[in-house]
Amino acid sequence: ILVKGTVGDGFTGDIGLDDMSFLGCTLYSGSLPTISTTTSGTSVPPTLPMNNCTEKEFVCRASGRCIQMIQKCDFIPDCSDKSDESACVMEVCDFEDKNQCGWYQSASEQMSGNYSIHTTNVFKWELGRGANLYPGQENHCPLIDHTMCTEEGWYLFADSSNGEFGHTADIATPVISLTGPKCKIIFWNHMNGSTIGSLEVLCKTSNRTSKLWIQRGNQGPQWKRAEVFLGIRSNFQVVFRAKRGVSYMGDVAVDDITFEDCSPLLVPGRPCTSEEFTCANKYCIPKDNLCDFVNDCADNSDESPTI
């Protein structure tokens, strides 16, 4: 049993407890209900259909068809029931209906410094909306979302009334298997307040984390569009990292996150036309994309000096 108290925006408000009793707690002689181990919000059944798939293949949940593991979470539904994309980040997310669209933060990422999650207010990402703000909070937290432009619309924000100066909060996608050459992430951010910290977009692989984008300081009381190029990547996660400023006067928020043109290239079942260039890997791309400083072929053959 955990009793949790949350600090407000000042010191003039203390919470007290007294005379706590446990009543009617004698041993229950009946049978307890069973607890489901299936994660809520997923449609994946607990048992797999009959299949001949190897450990390096993904089993389509409805048919038992085997697909390559690299085809899971690549923004292309290869299974008829789309189960290969069901436990992945959503291509478009507006956080309405309180849906985080696959973005998650692990328990270890909700720890601040060496403090226990049970004994301190942790600086972390959470869903919010203008209708839930307390008086004065609109000065450093979005009053309206970007999707609906209303106080009822939801967004994702890092609440700086928790944590301490310099604490960071990470929220990440599940592992994305593969993306195409023009893949980019587009999102809207809100960074208002006199002591706002920073917002970063990171790319995380198994052994390396690289910074793709960063914005610091007060950006004013409006939503701003941001676009981050991802390109061809494999087995990686996208991470939003918020860093807390010196006080609670500045919350970082994001809304309307979109992965655009992120599907990997597909080898066509036909020869390339006269208007297309045949890449070294047999992909077809428009000839207008030759020598444009973009790796459209995914093997850089469209940018070769020998063309």
Side-chain angles (χ1 to χ4, degrees):
I1 295 174
L2 172 67
V3 178
K4 181 178 180 181
T6 303
V7 178
D9 64 344
F11 63 88
T12 57
D14 300 331
I15 300 172
L17 293 176
D18 197 4
D19 294 331
M20 299 178 67
S21 302
F22 289 86
L23 303 176
C25 296
T26 55
L27 183 64
Y28 178 60
S29 59
S31 58
L32 296 175
T34 57
I35 300 174
S36 172
T37 57
T38 305
T39 305
S40 61
T42 63
S43 58
V44 178
T47 57
L48 297 175
M50 293 293 294
N51 65 86
N52 295 316
C53 303
T54 67
E55 292 182 356
K56 297 183 179 180
E57 294 178 315
F58 178 83
V59 183
C60 294
R61 296 326 196 226
S63 63
R65 178 190 169 201
C66 308
I67 64 172
Q68 296 180 35
M69 198 61 75
I70 196 72
Q71 294 174 277
K72 179 180 181 291
C73 295
D74 65 350
F75 300 102
I76 299 177
D78 298 283
C79 297
S80 59
D81 60 352
K82 301 182 180 181
S83 57
D84 56 313
E85 302 297 316
S86 64
C88 314
V89 69
M90 292 177 62
E91 203 163 356
V92 178
C93 183
D94 57 17
F95 302 108
E96 301 308 325
D97 300 320
K98 302 179 71 173
N99 183 358
Q100 290 191 199
C101 311
W103 291 87
Y104 76 98
Q105 48 192 345
S106 64
S108 61
E109 288 169 340
Q110 294 183 27
M111 305 291 279
S112 297
N114 295 321
Y115 297 96
S116 166
I117 190 172
H118 298 302
T119 58
T120 188
N121 297 307
V122 181
F123 180 58
K124 64 182 184 296
W125 290 94
E126 54 190 276
L127 290 170
R129 58 177 180 170
N132 294 351
L133 300 184
Y134 54 79
Q137 193 177 6
E138 70 277 1
N139 295 326
H140 53 88
C141 194
L143 182 61
I144 61 173
D145 74 323
H146 179 263
T147 311
M148 303 172 63
C149 294
T150 69
E151 295 183 12
E152 299 298 323
W154 292 91
Y155 51 77
L156 192 67
F157 81 111
D159 186 359
S160 59
S161 63
N162 297 321
E164 297 178 4
F165 172 58
H167 283 180
T168 59
D170 288 3
I171 191 163
T173 66
V175 173
I176 299 172
S177 296
L178 187 64
T179 53
K182 295 185 178 181
C183 179
K184 57 188 174 184
I185 181 173
I186 300 170
F187 62 96
W188 291 81
N189 63 89
H190 191 287
M191 297 176 63
N192 184 43
S194 56
T195 61
I196 196 81
S198 64
L199 174 63
E200 297 177 335
V201 178
L202 309 174
C203 175
K204 182 179 180 181
T205 58
S206 58
N207 57 0
R208 183 186 177 199
T209 299
S210 56
K211 187 183 302 181
L212 305 178
W213 181 92
I214 185 170
Q215 184 169 267
R216 298 184 179 92
N218 190 355
Q219 303 296 314
Q222 68 278 325
W223 290 96
K224 294 183 63 177
R225 184 182 186 274
E227 181 177 310
V228 181
F229 180 73
L230 297 175
I232 299 172
R233 297 176 186 267
S234 61
N235 297 319
F236 71 101
Q237 294 173 275
V238 175
V239 180
F240 280 114
R241 174 172 292 172
K243 188 173 183 179
R244 189 187 185 278
V246 297
S247 84
Y248 68 91
M249 293 293 293
D251 298 332
V252 175
V254 295
D255 199 4
D256 291 328
I257 305 172
T258 303
F259 288 87
E260 187 171 291
D261 294 328
C262 287
S263 301
L265 293 174
L266 297 175
V267 178
R270 57 167 178 78
C272 299
T273 68
S274 60
E275 301 298 320
E276 295 175 322
F277 172 77
T278 305
C279 303
N281 54 21
K282 306 304 181 184
Y283 291 139
C284 300
I285 66 168
K287 287 186 175 179
D288 289 344
N289 292 354
L290 294 177
C291 301
D292 61 354
F293 302 101
V294 177
N295 182 14
D296 298 284
C297 281
D299 62 4
N300 221 38
S301 58
D302 56 309
E303 301 300 310
S304 172
T306 60
I307 295 178

